[in-house]
Amino acid sequence: MSEPLLELQEVTVRFGGHVAVDSVDLSVDPGTITGLIGPNGAGKTTTFNVITGLQAPTTGHLHFGGKDITRARAHRRAQAGIGRTFQRLEVFGSLTARENVLVGVELRRRWGRRAKPTPVALALLAETGLIQPSSGPEVLGGILAREETDALLDLVGISHVANTRADELPTGLARLVELARALATRPRLLLLDEPASGQDESETEAFAQLLVRLAGTGMGILLVEHDVPLVMQLCSKVCVLDFGSVLATGTPAEVQADKAVIDAYLGAEPVSAEAIEHLDAGA
Amino acid sequence: METFFQFFIVFALQAAGIYAVAASGLVVTYATSGVFNFAHGAIGMFCAFSYWELSQNRGWPSWIALVVVLFVEAPLIGLVLDRVIMRRLADASTITTIVVTIGLLVAFVQLAGMIWPQGSTTRVLPEFFVGDTVKVFGINVSYHAVIVLITAILVAVVLRVLLYETRLGVAMRAVVDNRELGALNGVHPDRISSVSWMLGSMLAALAGVLIAPILPQFTPVALTLLVISAYAAAMVGRLRSLPLTFLGAVILGEFESLLNWIDTKGIGGHTVADVANDLQTSAPVILLFVVLILLPQDRVAGRSSRRYNAPTPSLRTMAMAMVAYVAGAYVIAQSGWVSKTTVDQLGVGIALGIVMLSLVLLTGYGGQVSLAQPGFAGIGALVVWKMGPVGGLVAGVVICAAVGVLVALPALKMRDLYLALSTMAFALFLETNIYGENALFKQFLPFSVGNASVRRIPGLEGDTAFFMVMAVAFALIVLLLTVIRNGSFGRRLQAMRDSPSACVTLGLDLTATKLQAFGLAAAIAGLGGALLAMWKETSVGVADFSLLKGPLPGLPLVLVAVVFGITTAFGAVIGGPVFVLLPLIGTWYPALENIMNLAPGLAGIGLGQNPDGAVGQVAESFARDEPSADHPPPPPRVPVVPERVGAAGRPTAEEIRELDDVLGLSWGRCETKAAPR
C-alpha cells in the first residue's frame, strides 16, 4: 500500500486537566473513506480541529502528504489541501449558498495561482463535468469562478437553493453548502463532521453515492458520523474513539467483532450495526 | 526619603484605592451579567455630581448627602438599568452590548452637562475632613487619603465575604459559571442580576465621590474618562479575579506616581521629565493597551451569533442614488434656500459621514469593532494642516492607512470587547498625547489647542466648490464600498464576519484580511477628517476629533453611525447630516435642545432591539412585504445544538465543542460507564 495521505502520531490534546484526545494514532489513505466513530465527547471534533489547525496538539505529530504539518498554521493547511465541514454549522449566514461556495473558489484562486493542480483536483473537476476526464491542467485556466461554483453546487445537488441565504436553509442543505464550499478548495483530504445529520433517508442515500464518487477521484475522506450503518457501508477502515483514545482500528468487520468495542458499548452482547444505531438514536 | 514616601506610598496608594473600588464594581457586573459596562465611570461621575449638588449646592450635611447618594441613588440607578436595559441584553451580541453601554455613557455625560452646565461656574468638591492630616512616619497624610485606603480595604473584605460566605454570593458565582445550571439549582438569575448592577453602581458612585476632590478638574468628561483607569485595573484581573484587579489598581497607582516622580524631580533631564509630565494623564490608557496585548487571546472564533439582514444594493441602484445625492448637495449649496450656518453644518455632516463610512467597511462588512475612527480622522486633519492641501490630503490618507495597520497588529487576535477597549485607548492616547492638550510634539501646538488654520485645495476654495468636492468624495466612497461589497473582497470580509473558523479552513489568512480592512477603513476616516479640517478652515483642532469633548464628539458619532446602520452605506448618507443637525435643531427650537443632545445616547441604548440599524430595518421590512417567486419564505430551521449554553452571551462553536468534550454528553455513555471494562 502507498504512503498514507494523513498520519497522526500519538496526538494528545489537554484542556486543563481534561484529556480530550489521548495519544491517538490515525491514518487516512488517498482514495478511501475512513470512518471515525465514538460517543459524543470521545474527541472526534477535537481531532478534526487538530488536523485542520484550529487546535494545537499538546503533544504528538501530524504528517500530511509526507510533510510534517504539526506547526503549520490553519490557513496554510487548507492551502496544502485539507478541507472540512463542521458539526455545528459554520456557513456564512448572510451570504447565499452560491456566494458561500464562490468565497471558497475565489480564495483558492488567490492562493492557488502558482500551485500546480493535483490529479485529485483534475478528477474532481471531471466529476463536476467542467472538464473531460482526459484533460490536462492546461484547460483549467479557461474556467470562470462562477462556472466552477455552479458546477460544484450541481455536483452536491443544491443548485435549486443557490440564491437562498445560507442561514435560511434547513440543516441538511446547509451541510451540503459546507461540503460544496470545502470542495471549492479542491482538497486532497476531506474531513466531514456528521455530514448526514439533518438529512432524510433518500438524501442520505444520494449523499453516500456522492462520497463514493468523491473517493473515486483519489480524495482521502475522514468521516465522523453517528449513522453507524452508513459508516460501515462506506468505509474501508473504521477507527473507534472512546474517552479520547483509540479503542479499535480496522475494517468494518474487524471493528464490529472487536472485543474492546463490544465490551465498551454493549456488555457481552455481540455488536451489530443495528444495535449501535439503536444506542445512537436513544442518546 | 520623605517625598519618596509621599509619592510611592501616599499618592500611589490613594489613587490605587480609588481605582480598586471602581474596577471591582466593573468586575462584579461583568462577571455576573456578561455585560462590560462602558458607562461605569459615567455612573460614578453622575453620583459624584449629585453628591456635590446635595452637599455643596444645597448645603445638606455631608454624611446625609453621602448616605443618600451611595445607598439610595446609586442602587436605584443600578436597579433601573438592570430592569430596563441590561436584562434584555442577556442574549445580545457583544457588539450590541458595547454600543448600548456606550450610549448610556454618552447619555449620562449629556445629562450631567444639562443639569450642571459647564463653563459659567467652577465647581469644587472638597476632600473629606479637608485640611485635617494625620502624621505617619513623620509625614502629614490627609484624612482623605486615609479614608480612601480604609474604604478600599473595606470594599475588598466586604466583597470577599459577600461572594464566598453568603448564600447570595455563592449564587452569584454560580450564575457566572452557568446561568441555566444556576437557575436549575434554585438561583434566580434575574435577582442576582439586579443585585450585581446595584452593587456595581454603588461601587462606581463610591469611586466617583472619592476621586472627585483630588482631580484637577471636576467636570463630567474628566470624571467619566477616569473609568479608563478602572478598565485597565480590571483588565489585569481579566475581568474575573478581584485580587488581581486590586493588584492592577496598585500597579496603575505606582505607574502614575512614577511618572509624577520623574516629572517633579526632573529625573533624566528636561526632556524626559516633560515627556513624563505629558504621559501622566495617559498612564491608564498605556497600561490598558499593554495589558490587552499581553492577555492570552481566544482561539479563532466560530460562527457569529448575529444575524445580518441588510440589503445588498446593486452598483446601479447605488450609482443612481449617489447622482441624486450629489445633485441634492448642489441644490443645497447653490440655491440659497438654506442658510449659510446650515450649509456650514451640513458640510461638516458630509465629512463626518465619510468617517462613518469607514465603519461600514470595517464593522458592517468585516465585523471588526473600532472606536478609533474619530482618531484617524484627527490624524488626517493634522497631516493636511501640516503638509498643505494637496500633498497633505494624499499623505494623510496614506499615513492613516499605515497607522491603521499598526494599530490593528496587536489587536488582530482580539475579540469584540478587547478590540473596542484597545481602539478606544488608542483614540484617547491620540487626542491627549499626539494632537491634544499634552501633545508630546510641541510642533502641533496650534492644532492641539484647536486653533489651526487649514487651506483648501487651490482652485476649489469657494464654499460651494468645496462643498461639492466633499459631496463627490462621499459619493465616490459609497460607490467604492458598493463595489467592494458586491465583489470578492467584500464577500471575504462578510465571510470572516460570519465565521472566522470556516474562513481559515478555506485557506484565508485572517491576519492579512483584517489588516487590509483596518488600513482601508483608517484611510477613509483620515480622508473624512482631512476634508472636515479644510471645510472648517479655521479653529481646527483636537476638539473636532475628540471621543467625548467638543461640539460633535466621536463616541456619539459612532453611535449615530451604528444606529442608522453600518451594514449598508445608506446609513451614513442619512446619519452624517442627522448627527450634525441635531445640535442645530436644538438652536432653532430651544425647547428641543436637551432632547437633541441626549438623542445619540438614547438611540445607542435603544439599539439593543435592532442591530442592523434603522436603515437596514426599514429596508428589510420592505423586502419582507414582497415575497417573490425567486425568494420563497424560508422553511423553519432545525437547530443543530441548543442555542445557549454559557453564562455570558452565546457560546462560540469552539466553546460548545469544549463543553461537549468536557461534559461527555452521551452517546451510549451511561451504558459505557455501567458496563465492566
Side-chain angles (χ1 to χ4, degrees):
Chain A
M1 185 148 230
S2 64
E3 179 184 359
L5 182 62
L6 173 79
E7 202 167 13
L8 273 68
Q9 292 166 340
E10 299 185 4
V11 167
T12 298
V13 179
R14 286 198 192 87
F15 297 123
H18 174 76
V19 183
V21 175
D22 191 359
S23 196
V24 163
D25 291 309
L26 179 71
S27 67
V28 180
D29 294 318
T32 66
I33 305 177
T34 302
L36 187 60
I37 61 171
N40 281 336
K44 305 183 300 286
T45 297
T46 308
T47 305
F48 268 29
N49 288 345
V50 169
I51 297 170
T52 47
L54 295 180
Q55 168 73 51
T58 316
T59 56
H61 287 275
L62 289 95
H63 291 266
F64 177 68
K67 287 194 187 117
D68 189 332
I69 56 161
T70 314
R71 302 259 158 262
R73 290 174 61 195
H75 69 276
R76 291 282 171 210
R77 300 191 198 192
Q79 294 176 7
I82 301 180
R84 80 171 280 188
T85 67
F86 293 84
Q87 178 197 3
R88 185 176 184 251
L89 286 171
E90 295 277 350
V91 288
F92 304 134
S94 55
L95 303 179
T96 64
R98 177 180 280 119
E99 285 170 328
N100 265 268
V101 182
L102 185 58
V103 166
V105 172
E106 284 171 343
L107 277 174
R108 194 214 62 241
R109 293 188 165 219
R110 285 172 60 79
W111 47 259
R113 268 178 222 130
R114 283 149 287 135
K116 218 176 82 189
T118 59
V120 176
L122 289 174
L124 176 66
L125 288 172
E127 201 60 46
T128 64
L130 269 181
I131 60 173
Q132 295 299 316
S134 54
S135 308
E138 65 283 350
V139 297
L140 294 184
I143 302 173
L144 300 174
R146 297 261 167 193
E147 285 173 0
E148 188 172 341
T149 303
D150 287 340
L152 287 169
L153 289 168
D154 198 40
L155 178 70
V156 302
I158 51 172
S159 299
H160 59 294
V161 291
N163 293 323
T164 309
R165 273 175 66 116
D167 60 2
E168 292 177 351
L169 289 171
T171 310
L173 288 175
R175 291 197 181 284
L176 292 176
V177 171
E178 284 203 356
L179 173 60
R181 188 180 66 187
L183 290 176
T185 65
R186 298 178 187 164
R188 284 188 287 155
L189 173 68
L190 183 62
L191 311 179
L192 301 173
D193 203 343
E194 297 187 25
S197 73
Q199 294 181 341
D200 66 26
E201 220 166 287
S202 68
E203 285 167 341
T204 305
E205 184 52 38
F207 179 73
Q209 285 173 13
L210 175 62
L211 286 196
V212 172
R213 283 170 73 192
L214 289 176
T217 65
M219 196 181 289
I221 298 176
L222 186 58
L223 176 67
V224 163
E225 185 50 62
H226 278 180
D227 183 344
V228 174
L230 180 72
V231 172
M232 297 300 174
Q233 169 202 335
L234 286 173
C235 298
S236 56
K237 188 170 72 183
V238 175
C239 173
V240 185
L241 279 185
D242 189 35
F243 288 110
S245 45
V246 177
L247 206 57
T249 310
T251 64
E254 283 167 4
V255 166
Q256 287 180 70
D258 188 278
K259 186 151 186 328
V261 177
I262 295 168
D263 282 352
Y265 293 120
L266 294 163
E269 297 285 314
V271 66
S272 69
E274 287 73 22
I276 295 181
E277 185 191 20
H278 177 71
L279 265 184
D280 185 25
Chain B
M1 184 58 208
E2 187 177 317
T3 41
F4 185 87
F5 180 81
Q6 265 175 339
F7 273 105
F8 291 97
I9 305 293
V10 181
F11 291 158
L13 290 188
Q14 174 175 297
I18 295 167
Y19 299 151
V21 171
S24 54
L26 202 56
V27 171
V28 165
T29 47
Y30 180 77
T32 46
S33 67
V35 174
F36 184 89
N37 187 11
F38 277 83
H40 192 69
I43 294 171
M45 173 276 295
F46 196 81
C47 290
F49 269 87
S50 307
Y51 173 69
W52 175 87
E53 176 72 31
L54 296 179
S55 67
Q56 303 300 312
N57 210 23
R58 311 220 165 171
W60 292 22
S62 292
W63 70 271
I64 295 183
L66 195 62
V67 167
V68 168
V69 167
L70 286 187
F71 296 101
V72 180
E73 186 192 13
L76 205 62
I77 290 177
L79 187 67
V80 171
L81 288 186
D82 176 57
R83 287 285 160 88
V84 178
I85 303 172
M86 302 306 165
R87 212 167 272 184
R88 295 167 191 221
L89 293 179
D91 290 323
S93 71
T94 315
I95 296 186
T96 306
T97 66
I98 292 170
V99 171
V100 169
T101 56
I102 288 180
L104 205 57
L105 182 162
V106 170
F108 266 116
V109 171
Q110 297 289 5
L111 197 61
M114 276 150 54
I115 302 176
W116 299 285
Q118 299 300 303
S120 49
T121 50
T122 310
R123 293 182 188 77
V124 178
L125 191 60
E127 298 183 1
F128 291 106
F129 306 102
V130 64
D132 286 348
T133 55
V134 57
K135 272 211 185 296
V136 182
F137 298 122
I139 312 279
N140 284 332
V141 178
S142 72
Y143 265 40
H144 192 84
V146 175
I147 287 174
V148 166
L149 269 183
I150 293 174
T151 307
I153 294 168
L154 271 180
V155 164
V157 171
V158 167
L159 283 179
R160 167 82 202 183
V161 170
L162 179 74
L163 289 175
Y164 286 83
E165 310 294 336
T166 68
R167 213 182 117 74
L168 181 75
V170 173
M172 281 172 86
R173 288 191 297 131
V175 168
V176 179
D177 289 340
N178 189 320
R179 230 180 150 78
E180 272 74 26
L181 280 185
L184 287 176
N185 289 319
V187 176
H188 297 287
D190 286 350
R191 215 171 68 202
I192 301 295
S193 169
S194 296
V195 170
S196 77
W197 279 96
M198 287 159 74
L199 191 60
S201 292
M202 286 166 75
L203 290 167
L206 187 57
V209 169
L210 287 176
I211 198 151
I214 56 172
L215 267 191
Q217 298 168 295
F218 183 47
T219 64
V221 171
L223 217 52
T224 299
L225 285 182
L226 208 88
V227 82
I228 302 291
S229 321
Y231 294 167
M235 211 47 78
V236 172
R238 299 196 66 188
L239 295 176
R240 294 265 172 225
S241 157
L242 283 173
L244 284 178
T245 299
F246 274 72
L247 175 69
V250 172
I251 293 173
L252 181 56
E254 295 293 347
F255 181 37
E256 281 181 343
S257 294
L258 178 67
L259 291 172
N260 195 358
W261 163 267
I262 294 172
D263 173 33
T264 314
K265 292 275 160 178
I267 294 167
H270 234 22
T271 330
V272 175
D274 277 354
V275 168
N277 179 34
D278 287 334
L279 286 180
Q280 267 178 60
T281 35
S282 291
V285 168
I286 296 168
L287 180 70
L288 177 62
F289 208 68
V290 169
V291 173
L292 283 170
I293 292 171
L294 294 181
L295 267 186
Q297 292 299 330
D298 306 291
R299 278 172 292 150
V300 179
R303 184 177 59 176
S304 147
S305 59
R306 234 180 98 175
R307 226 190 107 89
Y308 296 82
N309 290 319
T312 23
S314 70
L315 185 59
R316 212 183 129 88
T317 315
M318 269 305 196
M320 289 194 300
M322 284 304 109
V323 168
Y325 178 87
V326 172
Y330 186 73
V331 171
I332 286 172
Q334 189 65 21
S335 64
W337 297 339
V338 183
S339 75
K340 170 135 180 26
T341 338
T342 311
V343 172
D344 280 351
Q345 206 61 3
L346 281 174
V348 174
I350 295 176
L352 290 179
I354 295 178
V355 179
M356 291 182 177
L357 285 178
S358 73
L359 282 169
V360 172
L361 177 81
L362 189 61
T363 315
Y365 298 175
Q368 307 295 309
V369 184
S370 169
L371 298 177
Q373 298 316 103
F376 291 126
I379 295 179
L382 184 73
V383 175
V384 89
W385 164 67
K386 265 280 167 200
M387 299 181 61
V390 180
L393 206 55
V394 176
V397 168
V398 173
I399 291 174
C400 279
V403 177
V405 169
L406 280 180
V407 173
L409 266 177
L412 276 180
K413 289 189 171 144
M414 294 180 189
R415 300 271 287 279
D416 302 341
L417 174 61
Y418 295 162
L419 205 50
L421 282 171
S422 65
T423 49
M424 183 175 175
F426 177 71
L428 289 172
F429 181 77
L430 276 182
E431 71 177 73
T432 313
N433 286 136
I434 301 301
Y435 51 70
E437 50 187 323
N438 295 314
L440 293 170
F441 309 99
K442 300 301 172 214
Q443 308 90 299
F444 296 162
L445 193 62
F447 193 93
S448 53
V449 294
N451 201 14
S453 295
V454 180
R455 279 177 298 129
R456 290 180 185 167
I457 301 165
L460 297 164
E461 282 108 339
D463 275 0
T464 305
F466 202 75
F467 193 85
M468 292 317 295
V469 166
M470 292 195 295
V472 169
F474 181 94
L476 288 178
I477 293 172
V478 168
L479 294 181
L480 172 72
L481 291 181
T482 312
V483 170
I484 287 177
R485 164 132 190 174
N486 294 338
S488 165
F489 184 49
R491 272 191 293 277
R492 270 207 308 285
L493 286 178
Q494 292 174 79
M496 179 173 77
R497 176 192 71 191
D498 286 354
S499 173
S501 56
C503 279
V504 168
T505 60
L506 295 175
L508 176 75
D509 186 352
L510 289 180
T511 309
T513 313
K514 283 183 186 174
L515 287 181
Q516 287 163 10
F518 265 96
L520 189 52
I524 293 173
L527 176 67
L531 289 175
L532 174 60
M534 289 196 220
W535 174 247
K536 278 191 73 177
E537 288 190 297
T538 54
S539 313
V540 179
V542 61
D544 299 311
F545 308 102
S546 166
L547 280 187
L548 274 171
K549 298 171 199 164
L552 294 165
L555 278 185
L557 172 83
V558 172
L559 288 179
V560 170
V562 176
V563 165
F564 278 93
I566 46 171
T567 42
T568 160
F570 273 124
V573 175
I574 306 164
V578 167
F579 179 59
V580 296
L581 287 180
L582 287 177
L584 215 55
I585 293 170
T587 58
W588 295 335
Y589 308 99
L592 294 178
E593 191 181 347
N594 289 346
I595 295 293
M596 291 303 134
N597 287 337
L598 272 180
L602 294 179
I605 298 169
L607 186 89
Q609 303 301 323
N610 174 21
D612 263 326
V615 173
Q617 184 94 343
V618 172
E620 194 202 1
S621 64
F622 276 114
R624 295 284 148 175
D625 287 345
E626 310 158 16
S628 65
D630 288 346
H631 297 85
R637 186 189 181 103
V638 187
V640 192
V641 289
E643 279 297 308
R644 255 178 59 71
V645 176
R650 293 192 177 184
T652 63
E654 288 295 323
E655 283 164 356
I656 292 241
R657 278 174 211 130
E658 267 175 47
L659 206 67
D660 244 20
D661 281 328
V662 173
L663 295 179
L665 294 173
S666 63
W667 177 88
R669 172 67 78 196
C670 301
E671 287 83 348
T672 311
K673 284 203 171 140
R677 305 199 64 182

